[in-house]
């Protein structure tokens, strides 16, 4: 009997592993087995988080944070860079200061990590690698911001944290303390961090207290709009690696509230009240996407939701949370912009539409579209989950910064 039980357990375990590992991977993605294993581990983590949440053991996002904690590395200086954890304007930051001599003043990058406003940390191995490499390759001061996260803190806390760090750093006394050239500063971020970078760049245009202007904004597969969760990229990539549609909906809704009614309304794309219908012009993909990205999708008019949700959680209609909702007048004057989008990513069309809208008002934009990549690919550059595509995207991003900052 014991032998039979062991065999049954083995069979069930094998079936479960096979179910997890087999994920349909887009044909043009290289190293499909690696991508499959990465996707499987993310799915397993998501399922465990779901179970922990349902059993009342811990919040879904807190369970995902365990992954962040496992990836954490202490601030470690090396022969090229001095790395310290400190605070700017009472917000935790990880600071990277080059040790190499510099001919004149240095460039600077203020970086916001991704993680759906709920997870992630400047001290995660992947982010530490990215920001250290940026500092080293550009001989630049890098400020990587540890803004507070949901579910403990909701919008606008995350935005306010990154904005106050940026504003603090842009003071002439602080710039001179770190030997930074006020004409060569960039805000950058990936995913939710790209969202925060775009929002910060917009807000700085309105802020008369800030005299220093950004030279560049670099947005890596950014999340930019909350209105339409049914864009062609959401339809096509609903179950694609790393960021399936329902997880993105979870992140978006959790940014504003832990009340599940917003998540449910967003999942069925019925969360925007009719009185906000004028905002849909800014995310109308039938006008803003090139033909090849529309595929076989047909644009349908929005289905409106209750006004009650928008009154309770006005954040999802706020340009500080959804920079794509800014009017053309608010986009004029934005700095030189780099936008990276990935073909196999629910957020692809957000970035494509933003590039289109910025160009239309005269902002200089480099839109880098990676046809063989998926959301989060740039994070997989440190072993064991090292991906060639991640290295390639990171290299392109750094090269662009080097040429333009």
């Amino acid at each position: 009997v014991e032998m039979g039980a062991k065999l049954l357990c083995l069979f069930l375990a094998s079936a479960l592993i096979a179910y997890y590992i087999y994920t349909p991977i887009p044909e043009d993605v290289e190293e499909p087995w690696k991508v499959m294993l990465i996707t499987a581990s993310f799915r397993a983590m998501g399922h465990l988080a779901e179970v922990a949440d349902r059993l009342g053991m811990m919040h879904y996002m807190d369970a995902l944070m365990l992954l962040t904690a496992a990836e954490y590395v202490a601030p470690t200086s090396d022969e090229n860079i001095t790395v310290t954890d400190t605070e700017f304007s009472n917000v935790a930051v990880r600071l990277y200061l080059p040790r190499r001599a510099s001919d004149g003043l240095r460039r600077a990058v203020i970086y916001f990590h991704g993680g759906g406003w709920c997870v992630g940390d400047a001290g995660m191995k992947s982010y530490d690698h990215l920001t250290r490499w940026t500092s080293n390759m550009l001989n630049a001061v890098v400020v990587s911001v540890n803004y507070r996260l949901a579910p403990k803190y909701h919008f606008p806390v995350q935005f306010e944290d990154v904005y106050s760090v940026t504003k603090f750093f842009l003071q002439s006394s602080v710039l001179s303390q770190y030997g930074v050239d006020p004409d060569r500063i960039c805000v950058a971020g990936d995913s939710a961090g790209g969202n925060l970078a775009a929002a910060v760049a917009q807000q700085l245009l309105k802020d008369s207290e800030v005299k220093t202007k950004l030279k560049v904004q670099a947005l890596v597969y950014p999340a930019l709009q909350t209105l339409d969760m049914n864009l062609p990229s959401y339809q096509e990539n609903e179950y694609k690696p790393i960021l399936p549609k329902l997880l993105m909906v979870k992140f978006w809704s959790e940014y504003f509230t832990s009340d599940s009614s917003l998540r449910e309304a967003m999942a069925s794309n019925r969360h925007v009240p009719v009185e906000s219908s004028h905002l849909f012009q800014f995310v109308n993909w039938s006008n803003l996407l090139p033909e090849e990205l529309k595929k076989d999708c047909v644009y349908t008019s929005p289905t409106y939701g209750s006004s009650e949700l928008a009154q309770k959680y006005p954040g999802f209609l706020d340009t500080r949370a959804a920079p794509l909702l800014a009017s053309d007048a608010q986009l004029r004057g934005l700095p030189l912009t780099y936008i990276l989008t990935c073909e196999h990513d629910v957020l692809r069309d957000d970035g494509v539409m933003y590039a289109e809208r910025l160009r239309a008002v005269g902002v200089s934009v480099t839109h880098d579209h990676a046809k063989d990549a998926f959301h989060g690919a740039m994070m997989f550059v440190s072993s064991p989950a090292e991906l060639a595509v991640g290295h390639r995207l990171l290299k392109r991003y750094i090269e662009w910064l080097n040429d333009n900052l």
Side-chain angles (χ1 to χ4, degrees):
V1 174
E2 196 181 328
M3 187 67 185
K6 278 183 179 168
L7 274 172
L8 181 64
C9 285
L10 182 66
F11 171 74
L12 289 173
S14 308
L16 195 62
I17 288 166
Y19 158 75
Y20 260 107
I21 290 182
Y22 183 72
T23 310
I25 297 293
E27 283 168 19
D28 54 359
V29 167
E30 56 186 319
E31 305 180 292
W33 271 102
K34 264 194 193 177
V35 175
M36 223 179 253
L37 286 166
I38 289 168
T39 307
S41 53
F42 271 76
R43 264 169 66 195
M45 195 70 196
H47 284 172
L48 288 171
E50 195 73 57
V51 169
D53 195 43
R54 293 217 169 143
L55 293 176
M57 289 157 67
M58 58 172 38
H59 188 287
Y60 180 91
M61 295 302 174
D62 292 335
L64 284 193
M65 262 310 265
L66 298 172
L67 199 65
T68 298
E71 267 260 287
Y72 178 82
V73 289
T76 313
S77 301
D78 59 34
E79 65 277 15
N80 302 315
I81 311 285
T82 303
V83 184
T84 47
D85 281 351
T86 180
E87 283 191 353
F88 282 179
S89 187
N90 298 320
V91 179
V93 300
R94 183 164 284 197
L95 189 59
Y96 298 79
L97 302 173
R99 291 185 173 182
R100 278 206 312 281
S102 174
D103 303 339
L105 295 172
R106 296 180 200 276
R107 304 181 268 195
V109 177
I110 306 166
Y111 196 86
F112 312 134
H113 68 77
W117 310 275
C118 299
V119 295
D121 191 286
M124 281 174 80
K125 200 172 175 181
S126 46
Y127 285 114
D128 183 68
H129 176 87
L130 180 147
T131 38
R132 182 183 296 269
W133 211 57
T134 306
S135 179
N136 200 13
M137 298 303 284
L138 304 180
N139 200 10
V141 172
V142 177
V143 181
S144 189
V145 186
N146 260 329
Y147 51 91
R148 288 169 292 174
L149 300 169
K152 196 171 177 190
Y153 302 96
H154 297 293
F155 174 83
V157 170
Q158 290 81 339
F159 170 80
E160 284 169 351
D161 280 359
V162 296
Y163 193 69
S164 62
V165 166
T166 306
K167 205 165 159 170
F168 173 85
F169 187 70
L170 292 178
Q171 296 173 100
S172 51
S173 58
V174 178
L175 295 177
S176 62
Q177 182 189 339
Y178 293 107
V180 169
D181 184 339
D183 296 324
R184 301 176 78 192
I185 299 166
C186 160
V187 286
D190 65 296
S191 195
N195 163 282
L196 293 167
V200 163
Q202 285 185 11
Q203 190 72 19
L204 285 170
L205 292 180
K206 306 177 196 168
D207 194 333
S208 57
E209 291 175 12
V210 183
K211 301 292 175 256
T212 309
K213 297 266 182 285
L214 293 176
K215 184 170 186 193
V216 167
Q217 61 171 343
L219 316 175
V220 174
Y221 31 76
L224 298 168
Q225 61 86 35
T226 46
L227 292 198
D228 192 348
M229 301 288 163
N230 211 23
L231 300 170
S233 58
Y234 271 93
Q235 293 180 46
E236 277 167 53
N237 301 305
E238 188 170 355
Y239 305 108
K240 290 276 173 75
I242 310 302
L243 189 66
K245 175 181 172 175
L246 283 180
L247 179 57
M248 190 60 225
V249 167
K250 246 191 180 109
F251 281 140
W252 262 130
S253 59
E254 195 65 58
Y255 188 20
F256 307 109
T257 173
S258 292
D259 173 354
S260 61
S261 61
L262 179 61
R263 187 178 76 232
E264 285 151 19
M266 278 184 161
S268 58
N269 216 29
R270 293 161 186 259
H271 53 295
V272 180
V274 70
E275 53 271 28
S276 301
S277 59
H278 63 285
L279 294 172
F280 276 98
Q281 62 181 315
F282 301 132
V283 299
N284 183 334
W285 59 264
S286 67
N287 300 333
L288 292 166
L289 288 184
E291 287 308 316
E292 67 266 21
L293 291 184
K294 294 179 185 176
K295 306 281 192 337
D296 303 322
C297 300
V298 179
Y299 187 80
T300 50
S301 299
T303 311
Y304 296 107
S306 77
S307 307
E308 194 191 342
L309 272 178
Q311 280 158 8
K312 262 191 184 162
Y313 315 114
F316 73 82
L317 299 171
D318 191 315
T319 53
R320 294 171 302 163
L324 199 48
L325 303 187
S327 67
D328 287 357
Q330 291 169 298
L331 300 179
R332 279 191 193 100
L334 279 169
L336 183 64
T337 300
Y338 175 82
I339 297 177
L340 171 70
T341 52
C342 297
E343 181 72 25
H344 308 293
D345 179 5
V346 290
L347 298 179
R348 177 194 71 203
D349 296 348
D350 286 23
V352 175
M353 291 195 293
Y354 201 45
E356 180 59 37
R357 289 198 54 213
L358 291 177
R359 278 198 193 110
V361 298
V363 175
S364 179
V365 180
T366 299
H367 175 206
D368 203 349
H369 184 61
K371 285 202 155 128
D372 56 350
F374 52 89
H375 189 84
M378 207 163 98
M379 289 300 91
F380 300 104
V381 287
S382 49
S383 53
E386 210 171 326
L387 291 175
V389 66
H391 276 283
R392 213 167 49 246
L393 297 187
L394 181 55
K395 204 162 157 266
R396 272 171 23 194
Y397 158 80
I398 296 283
E399 277 168 6
W400 187 89
L401 281 181
N402 196 30
D403 293 342
N404 293 281
L405 180 57

